Amino acid sequence: DARTAISALALTNNQDAEAVTDSQGEAVDDDTLLFAPLTQSEVDNCAFSSWYPNFSRVTFKSEIIRPLDAEFVKYLLSDGVFVPGQKRMEYHGELEEFGSSNGSDWSDSDDGGDVVEDISSTTAEISRRIELLGGSAFPRTTWSAPTDADWASTTSTLECKTPQDVYWLLKASTKIAKDLLNERYPALASVEPELVLRKWANLHPSMVFRCFVRNNSLIGISQVDVQFHKFLSEMSADIEQKLQKFFAAHASKFPSESYCYDVYVARTVDRVLVMDFEPWSYSVDSCLFEWRELCTTAQFLGLRLFPEGVNPLGHFSAKYSSSRFPIEMTADAYHASVATMIERMKSEQP
């Protein structure tokens, strides 16, 4: 796929990559074998409430609600997408492959009221915290934001102005459910769940970058938005320099030796802000890199941008899934654009 092609071309210019072998000296083909099992401290370090106090000056203002009431957690994990005081629709028929139902299999359910009657204190607390953040916020839990549930929002964003807005997103998100059920890191001890409200800001997806740190060294930076932006190419050297300086001054203080973190580069105020930290794990999207090159390189791989001429509709990977799909494009256009990018990378190397 496109990610593999970019990495293969880049690796031809990286002569310092280390060969990966097993204990018998055989080449390792399974990239998951490149990773040591995550430790409890590596996962705990990435919990929001663990890193936020140390990085509060270089991230978005946030409010942390913990511990969460047991009834509130029970509500979030209950079946159906509904908010307190509203009826929920339930389907009792069989789905048809073609055609549509006449509607007789649908019914209103009033049993949601009993499930959520004890979360009024949480509702009041969420409302108070949103006001502290200026009236708009976006929610997340210990490790995840409900980015897989923006379809449930009337604005198709994560912006929330009321507790009900928060509930819609949390209830509709599989990622949030996995956080609450400790399914993201099931082999490790569970962590007390927390609800985080972050000050809302209209961010440009083109200015979000993922940074990869291995053995306390920044080894690669990738654009997260999977489409070409000409202005990024024009300011790539400046962005790379800013992010290297930010790592040296701030991100390098993160307690783990190997980790990933997302940042937002604010163009208007010339500022870099941390968005999140993730453990060094194959489950994390490697964006425009292959995990193999990140795990084996002996040098800084630089900033990698989405190349011109690639169809952005065929993503490198499903945006909200660990499944990866090939990108749709013409081979000639793709390889020409990648070759140009690699040549630019080579010319910028000292």
Side-chain angles (χ1 to χ4, degrees):
D1 61 14
R3 191 206 316 262
T4 303
I6 286 181
S7 299
L9 283 170
L11 281 172
T12 61
N13 298 292
N14 178 12
Q15 303 301 321
D16 296 325
E18 303 169 0
V20 182
T21 60
D22 59 20
S23 58
Q24 284 75 42
E26 297 294 329
V28 172
D29 294 325
D30 185 354
D31 285 356
T32 61
L33 299 178
L34 299 171
F35 297 85
L38 287 174
T39 65
Q40 188 71 49
S41 63
E42 287 174 325
V43 171
D44 291 348
N45 290 342
C46 294
F48 186 87
S49 58
S50 294
W51 64 262
Y52 178 73
N54 295 325
F55 291 90
S56 59
R57 293 186 177 182
V58 289
T59 190
F60 303 93
K61 183 180 179 181
S62 303
E63 293 287 329
I64 302 172
I65 301 176
R66 61 181 300 187
L68 297 179
D69 290 342
E71 286 298 312
F72 178 62
V73 175
K74 180 181 177 182
Y75 155 66
L76 292 180
L77 293 175
S78 62
D79 292 337
V81 179
F82 62 98
V83 298
Q86 292 187 358
K87 293 182 179 181
R88 49 178 167 168
M89 296 297 293
E90 293 184 348
Y91 185 73
H92 307 289
E94 296 182 358
L95 294 176
E96 299 178 2
E97 183 175 3
F98 300 100
S100 60
S101 170
N102 60 11
S104 61
D105 292 324
W106 290 90
S107 66
D108 290 337
S109 174
D110 291 309
D111 60 0
D114 294 335
V115 175
V116 300
E117 61 182 3
D118 294 327
I119 69 169
S120 57
S121 60
T122 301
T123 299
E125 186 64 15
I126 291 175
S127 182
R128 185 179 74 84
R129 301 294 185 101
I130 289 177
E131 287 302 313
L132 290 176
L133 295 172
S136 292
F138 67 94
R140 59 165 291 162
T141 48
T142 311
W143 293 292
S144 306
T147 49
D148 57 338
D150 57 358
W151 59 268
S153 168
T154 56
T155 61
S156 296
T157 70
L158 301 187
E159 181 181 14
C160 296
K161 294 185 177 182
T162 67
Q164 289 71 29
D165 294 338
V166 173
Y167 298 154
W168 274 119
L169 291 174
L170 298 183
K171 286 286 292 177
S173 174
T174 300
K175 296 172 68 175
I176 297 303
K178 288 184 176 181
D179 264 19
L180 297 176
L181 293 170
N182 198 45
E183 291 182 355
R184 187 167 183 185
Y185 305 108
L188 301 174
S190 60
V191 175
E192 181 182 48
E194 58 196 23
L195 174 61
V196 179
L197 297 173
R198 313 205 69 189
K199 186 177 180 63
W200 173 257
N202 288 310
L203 305 183
H204 299 284
S206 60
M207 301 306 292
V208 178
F209 300 90
R210 180 156 297 170
C211 302
F212 300 89
V213 179
R214 195 182 90 222
N215 297 330
N216 296 314
S217 295
L218 179 64
I219 59 171
I221 305 168
S222 175
Q223 175 187 340
V224 173
D225 188 30
V226 285
Q227 57 183 318
F228 172 74
H229 298 281
K230 183 178 180 181
F231 72 89
L232 286 181
S233 298
E234 297 170 349
M235 59 189 300
S236 61
D238 182 52
I239 292 175
E240 183 176 310
Q241 183 181 51
K242 285 180 180 178
L243 296 185
Q244 286 181 303
K245 288 182 177 179
F246 184 83
F247 171 73
H250 302 288
S252 60
K253 296 178 174 61
F254 191 73
S256 299
E257 292 185 357
S258 299
Y259 53 95
C260 313
Y261 63 97
D262 290 348
V263 294
Y264 182 76
V265 179
R267 299 176 63 186
T268 55
V269 295
D270 194 28
R271 188 181 180 193
V272 177
L273 296 170
V274 172
M275 299 180 71
D276 202 7
F277 285 92
E278 296 273 11
W280 185 264
S281 169
Y282 188 73
S283 63
V284 176
D285 193 338
S286 57
C287 297
L288 299 180
F289 292 99
E290 283 288 329
W291 268 119
R292 178 170 293 266
E293 61 181 319
L294 292 170
C295 291
T296 60
T297 186
Q299 65 182 31
F300 177 56
L301 297 174
L303 168 65
R304 195 164 290 182
L305 301 176
F306 196 89
E308 186 176 8
V310 175
N311 181 359
L313 296 179
H315 291 199
F316 286 127
S317 60
K319 192 172 184 180
Y320 306 124
S321 169
S322 59
S323 302
R324 296 178 178 178
F325 300 94
I327 193 165
E328 297 176 359
M329 61 195 162
T330 62
D332 290 343
Y334 172 71
H335 286 293
S337 62
V338 173
T340 300
M341 181 188 70
I342 298 301
E343 287 301 315
R344 179 182 61 78
M345 292 168 57
K346 290 173 60 179
S347 65
E348 292 177 355
Q349 291 180 352

